[in-house]
Amino acid sequence: MEYGKVLRFHRVKQGLTQNQLADGIISPAYLSKIENDQTVPAFEVLELLYERLGLDFLETSSNHPSKEKLKEWYEAIAFKRQEDAKRLKEDILNQKETQENHHLYIFFELFRIRHLLLENEVDEAYKAWENIRQYKDTFDEEMEFYYHLGSGLLKYYQGDFDNSFQELMEAKNYSSSINLEDWEFSDLYYLLALSTSQANHISASVFYVDQALEIYQSNYDLAKSADCHILQGINYSRLKNYAKALENFHLARKIALQTGNQNQLRLVFINIGTLESRIENHESAIINYKKSLEYHDSESEFQEYDYLTTIHGLIIENYRLGNKTGCLEWVHKGEEKLETFPSEAYSLHFEVYKKVINHSNNLSKFLEDTIIPFFQEKKEHIYVIRYAMFLADILEEQRMYKKSSTYLRLAIQLLNKHSNLGGILL
């Protein structure tokens, strides 16, 4: 057993310095060597150190409680079985050893990060991550794997996709030296696929999706296979291989219809709508966007945001078809949703189209002073591109050619840098 790591864990947890723990037993320097596993002390010394920490030396050193319940909880989290995850968490918290045993406590806290993210409690997940970091030098390789995987997920939820990918790659490096089940490898590959897709490393994402899909299909996991097909559809859409993208979306749709997965059906139709919009099949885009709304769940915060995204898509497609009445109808529906689910970004989107349709005199000023700076600050490049091109056209009509070319250059620069934008991810 690694006595040093256990001692350091409980010392830090209780807020003691090395001087305080070592006082009257051994020197602080010798305690430091024990904690760093540079020496193995006599049992008498260990007993005294454990006693000062309020631990039972014999119980702690000879009995190691099983992690089976914790791994069962983690599996429920990874497969998004939220009710099972809540029940198992309560069962684990009722076990005294969870908080008192170094090994179990570390795994509980590492798994709790992912559970909090599942519940969309990102700030609390970050606090849990900050807490567990102080014990990092007591981690074994298995703990390192889950630490980096949790760090990667946390950064993904925070929108830091490049660093999410780097953390997940660190997890992958540890995965080869520990015992993982097949589903954990496929889970890791899928998360790598998500992060690389969002970071615009599309070829890497295609590779990792294929890795994950192979395992999911071999285990007859239909739901996860559908998730992979949706992500792969987005990847191929970004690569402008629209036939391959549609093939994957339709495979996902077929599976989701078999399993009755409403969320996957919603995502399939949103993404087909996005694809059709990109290739300027505006009527088809509208049909698919409307279809996605049939599977909307207003109790999900993520789906509420996607609902606004879909409404925005319907506004754009109706505008492109010259259907101003239809465009305004969807603007009003979007504004109704904003009353119960506020969003500054979508409020601005909807305001732009109201001003366009009503021929507002201050439209160009609104775009220049409010809209473009807002989305630049948010680093939402796709909207900066769209509104900069829109403004460039307006300024050109007003014969303000120099200013028009400035915004056109901005749009082209961003378009060249972020040519793979598009698609709603899971």
Side-chain angles (χ1 to χ4, degrees), residues 109-356:
E109 287 297 306
L110 289 172
F111 295 168
R112 190 166 73 91
I113 293 169
R114 188 161 184 177
H115 190 201
L116 288 166
L117 291 174
L118 176 63
E119 298 293 328
N120 199 32
E121 296 182 37
V122 180
D123 290 341
E124 289 301 312
Y126 183 77
K127 290 177 185 176
W129 180 78
E130 283 279 297
N131 172 60
I132 205 64
R133 275 204 310 167
Q134 65 184 317
Y135 306 113
K136 194 173 183 304
D137 57 2
T138 73
F139 289 180
D140 59 24
E141 290 188 332
E142 188 179 10
M143 293 170 184
E144 289 281 4
F145 168 78
Y146 291 110
Y147 171 77
H148 286 292
L149 189 142
S151 299
L153 265 174
L154 185 59
K155 290 183 184 300
Y156 182 90
Y157 274 74
Q158 293 172 328
D160 186 358
F161 303 120
D162 281 313
N163 281 317
S164 170
F165 170 54
Q166 294 304 321
E167 288 289 345
L168 291 167
M169 282 302 294
E170 284 293 322
K172 184 175 181 292
N173 291 338
Y174 282 103
S175 69
S176 59
S177 57
I178 61 177
N179 292 321
L180 294 177
E181 296 182 49
D182 275 356
W183 72 262
E184 291 189 272
F185 278 109
S186 53
D187 178 59
L188 173 61
Y189 292 139
Y190 181 71
L191 295 177
L192 280 164
L194 278 177
S195 65
T196 48
S197 182
Q198 288 284 41
N200 288 325
H201 307 312
I202 308 302
S203 296
S205 184
V206 169
F207 170 77
Y208 287 122
V209 172
D210 283 341
Q211 296 278 95
L213 186 57
E214 183 178 348
I215 300 174
Y216 287 136
Q217 288 178 334
S218 67
N219 292 326
Y220 304 102
D221 190 328
L222 293 176
K224 289 292 187 178
S225 295
D227 285 343
C228 287
H229 284 303
I230 292 171
L231 179 51
Q232 204 69 303
I234 292 169
N235 285 333
Y236 281 117
S237 181
R238 290 174 174 175
L239 291 171
K240 297 182 172 61
N241 188 341
Y242 300 121
K244 194 73 174 174
L246 279 171
E247 178 187 333
N248 276 278
F249 288 141
H250 288 310
L251 283 169
R253 175 178 169 272
K254 183 177 179 181
I255 294 171
L257 285 170
Q258 289 176 359
T259 59
N261 192 312
Q262 305 285 296
N263 183 52
Q264 288 175 339
L265 288 167
R266 179 182 63 84
L267 287 167
V268 165
F269 287 114
I270 290 175
N271 281 294
I272 293 176
T274 302
L275 185 155
E276 297 288 8
S277 175
R278 289 182 67 155
I279 58 179
E280 299 187 16
N281 289 338
H282 305 303
E283 291 181 355
S284 181
I286 289 171
I287 289 169
N288 282 282
Y289 282 144
K290 285 182 176 179
K291 191 73 176 174
S292 76
L293 296 179
E294 296 176 16
Y295 301 100
H296 173 67
D297 178 4
S298 60
E299 294 183 6
S300 166
E301 184 174 339
F302 282 122
Q303 291 199 26
E304 289 289 80
Y305 190 82
D306 285 352
Y307 180 89
L308 289 171
T309 302
T310 306
I311 295 294
H312 186 209
L314 284 161
I315 292 167
I316 293 169
E317 298 311 306
N318 276 279
Y319 176 77
R320 287 172 175 172
L321 287 172
N323 184 356
K324 295 182 179 180
T325 302
C327 184
L328 275 180
E329 284 178 0
W330 286 109
V331 167
H332 294 322
K333 285 186 180 180
E335 288 177 330
E336 286 175 12
K337 176 56 66 176
L338 290 175
E339 292 176 7
T340 56
F341 190 78
S343 166
E344 185 178 2
Y346 282 101
S347 177
L348 290 172
H349 286 314
F350 302 156
E351 186 64 26
V352 167
Y353 283 91
K354 281 202 300 186
K355 287 182 179 293
V356 169

